C-alpha cells in the first residue's frame, strides 16, 4: 500500500481489492460482535474546510470502533482558517497524531500535507476527487452484484470529484465506464487522459444521458452544484436540465440496474424522488459502507503491520 490515500490514481487494482476485502472482513467482524481493537491508542486528526455529515461521522465512529480516537478540526476555528501554512500544520499534527483525514478545496493542499508528514494522510474529498466515497461505492456494487469486472458503470451529471473518482476506480476494477455530462462540465483532463489510455478501451464520454445509460448495470449521479459552487447554482440548473436519473433513463439500463448516490441528494434535480426511493436500500447501503471502507483504509494505513 501507499503511505497515503490521496486519490485513486495512486492506487493499483491490487491495492483497491485489498481495501475492499479488508472492508468486507471488518464489516463481518462488526456485525458479529468481534472485537476490533486494531488501532488502540491511535489518534486521527480530521480537518474539515467544507461541510460534512457522512464523512465526519463515519470516520469518527470508525476510529472509535477500531479502538482509537478521532478529533475534529474545523478549518474556520483552527489556525488553518487564519492562514497558518499547511506545511506547518502538517508537521505539528505529525507529532501528535497517527493519521490525518482532510476535506478541503484544492487537491494540491492535500498532496502538500502528505509531503510534509510521515503519518498517513487520507483525502476526505477535494474539488478533484472523493476516493473514500468511491471505495464505498465499489464495495456496495460488489456486495450487490458479486463482481465488478465486466459490469457497466454509468455516471450522469457534472464531471466533478465524484465523476473523477468513479472513472478511475471503475476502470481500475475492470468495469466498463460511461459518462454523460454537458459540454463545459467534463471530468478533469488528468482523468480523461487516464481513461483514454486504459488498455481495455471501455471508457466512453457522451453528451446525452440516454446514450450513456444503455445496458448499464449501475447508474450513478451527484449534485449539479458541488460545495463551493453555490453561486453557480442558477447557471448550472440550466446546463444540467435533462441530466437526471429517472424512470425513463432506468428503462434503458439492464434489468436489475442499481442506483448509487453519494448524498446529499436533490430530488427533482439530478434524481427523481421515485427512483431515489425505489433504490433507497442500495443508496443507504452505500452510505453505510463509507464506515467499513474507511475502517479498512485506516487499518491498512495506520495499523502497525498491515500495509
Ligand atoms: N457523501 C459524503 O461525502 O457525504 P458528506 O458530505 O455528508 O460527508
Ligand atoms: N460533488 C459533491 C459531493 C458531496 C459529497 C460536492 O463536492 O459537494
Amino acid at each position: 500500500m501507499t503511505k497515503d490515500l490521496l486519490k485513486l490514481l495512486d492506487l493499483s487494482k491490487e491495492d483497491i481489492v485489498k481495501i475492499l476485502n479488508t472492508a468486507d472482513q471488518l464489516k463481518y467482524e462488526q456485525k458479529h460482535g468481534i472485537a476490533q481493537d486494531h488501532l488502540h491508542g491511535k489518534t486521527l486528526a480530521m480537518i474539515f474546510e467544507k461541510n460534512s455529515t457522512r464523512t465526519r461521522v463515519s470516520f469518527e465512529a470508525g476510529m472509535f470502533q477500531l479502538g482509537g480516537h478521532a478529533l475534529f478540526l474545523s478549518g474556520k476555528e483552527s489556525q488553518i482558517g487564519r492562514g497558518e501554512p499547511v506545511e506547518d500544520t502538517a508537521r505539528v499534527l505529525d507529532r501528535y497524531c497517527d493519521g490525518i483525514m482532510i476535506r478541503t478545496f484544492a487537491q494540491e493542499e492535500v498532496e502538500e500535507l502528505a509531503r510534509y508528514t510521515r503519518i498517513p494522510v487520507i483525502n476526505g474529498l477535494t474539488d478533484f476527487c472523493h476516493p473514500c466515497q468511491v471505495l464505498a461505492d465499489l464495495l456496495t456494487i460488489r456486495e450487490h452484484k458479486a463482481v465488478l469486472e465486466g459490469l457497466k458503470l454509468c455516471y450522469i451529471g457534472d464531471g466533478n470529484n465524484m465523476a473523477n473518482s468513479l472513472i478511475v476506480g471503475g476502470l481500475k476494477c475492470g468495469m466498463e465506464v460511461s459518462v454523460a455530462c454537458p459540454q463545459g462540465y467534463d471530468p478533469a483532463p488528468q482523468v480523461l487522459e487516464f481513461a483514454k489510455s486504459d488498455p481495455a478501451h471501455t471508457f466512453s464520454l457522451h453528451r446525452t444521458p440516454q446514450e450513456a445509460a444503455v445496458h448499464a448495470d449501475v447508474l450513478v449521479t451527484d449534485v449539479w452544484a458541488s460545495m463551493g459552487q453555490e453561486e453557480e447554482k442558477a447557471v448550472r440548473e440550466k446546463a444540467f436540465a435533462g441530466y437526471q436519473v429517472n424512470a425513463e433513463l432506468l428503462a434503458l439500463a439492464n434489468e436489475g440496474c442499481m442506483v448509487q448516490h453519494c448524498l446529499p441528494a436533490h430530488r427533482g434535480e439530478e434524481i427523481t424522488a421515485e427512483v431515489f426511493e425505489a433504490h433507497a436500500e442500495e443508496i443507504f447501503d452505500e452510505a453505510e459502507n463509507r464506515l467499513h471502507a474507511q475502517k479498512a483504509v485506516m487499518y491498512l494505513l495506520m495499523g502497525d503491520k498491515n500495509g
Side-chain angles (χ1 to χ4, degrees):
M1 285 291 290
T2 47
K3 167 179 129 4
D4 311 290
L5 173 56
L6 306 179
K7 55 187 182 298
L8 294 182
L9 279 168
D10 299 336
L11 301 190
S12 64
K13 177 181 184 177
E14 291 68 34
D15 290 334
I16 296 176
V17 171
K18 189 172 184 175
I19 293 168
L20 301 185
N21 291 347
T22 305
D24 277 344
Q25 177 68 25
L26 291 170
K27 184 170 181 175
Y28 175 87
E29 287 174 8
Q30 198 214 340
K31 301 271 178 200
H32 291 82
I34 300 167
Q36 306 186 306
D37 224 20
H38 309 294
L39 298 182
H40 181 80
K42 305 220 172 188
T43 305
L44 177 76
M46 306 189 297
I47 305 171
F48 282 94
E49 299 196 57
K50 286 177 175 172
N51 291 38
S52 171
T53 298
R54 279 145 289 269
T55 305
R56 178 178 176 184
V57 177
S58 54
F59 267 105
E60 191 162 335
M63 196 59 193
F64 178 75
Q65 289 170 15
L66 291 171
H69 178 72
L71 63 94
F72 175 76
L73 282 165
S74 134
K76 283 197 195 81
E77 286 157 23
S78 64
Q79 297 290 6
I80 297 166
R82 296 182 58 247
E84 182 167 13
V86 68
E87 64 265 31
D88 293 357
T89 307
R91 285 177 287 187
V92 171
L93 295 178
D94 192 64
R95 288 165 188 250
Y96 300 146
C97 301
D98 303 284
I100 302 172
M101 193 289 302
I102 177 166
R103 165 169 286 198
T104 189
F105 295 87
Q107 177 70 16
E108 186 45 42
E109 188 182 335
V110 179
E111 307 264 349
E112 184 83 346
L113 198 64
R115 274 195 289 276
Y116 278 92
T117 50
R118 292 159 295 184
I119 59 174
V121 173
I122 300 169
N123 184 341
L125 179 147
T126 59
D127 293 344
F128 175 65
C129 65
H130 199 358
C132 291
Q133 178 69 55
V134 168
L135 288 169
D137 295 12
L138 294 170
L139 188 67
T140 313
I141 298 164
R142 201 175 73 163
E143 265 176 8
H144 281 257
K145 298 277 185 194
V147 291
L148 293 173
E149 282 87 0
L151 293 182
K152 180 170 175 180
L153 173 73
C154 170
Y155 174 86
I156 307 291
D158 189 17
N160 61 12
N161 41 18
M162 277 305 297
N164 290 335
S165 289
L166 282 163
I167 293 168
V168 176
L171 291 176
K172 286 204 181 213
C173 289
M175 301 176 89
E176 180 183 343
V177 179
S178 64
V179 170
C181 54
Q183 198 131 29
Y185 296 93
D186 282 355
Q190 192 186 355
V191 168
L192 291 180
E193 208 173 295
F194 166 81
K196 285 174 189 155
S197 68
D198 184 51
H201 297 296
T202 59
F203 175 74
S204 57
L205 182 63
H206 305 268
R207 294 294 172 222
T208 72
Q210 290 75 15
E211 278 173 347
V214 173
H215 297 311
D217 297 296
V218 190
L219 274 180
V220 193
T221 190
D222 186 18
V223 290
W224 292 341
S226 285
M227 288 182 277
Q229 297 172 335
E230 288 77 8
E231 281 170 17
E232 296 173 37
K233 196 172 182 298
V235 177
R236 283 175 168 266
E237 270 171 18
K238 277 206 190 98
F240 286 98
Y243 285 79
Q244 185 188 63
V245 173
N246 53 35
E248 294 74 50
L249 197 70
L250 211 49
L252 301 170
N254 278 346
E255 178 117 9
C257 179
M258 287 176 71
V259 174
Q260 296 278 269
H261 193 308
C262 65
L263 305 175
H266 292 106
R267 291 165 176 78
E269 293 184 15
E270 76 276 2
I271 191 165
T272 57
E274 180 196 8
V275 169
F276 185 94
E277 290 306 332
H279 291 267
E281 205 57 35
E282 293 156 6
I283 292 169
F284 290 103
D285 278 352
E286 174 189 13
E288 176 185 336
N289 280 336
R290 293 292 304 277
L291 174 72
H292 308 296
Q294 288 157 201
K295 281 171 74 180
V297 169
M298 292 190 287
Y299 172 79
L300 291 169
L301 298 185
M302 295 169 62
D304 289 329
K305 301 188 205 75
N306 307 316

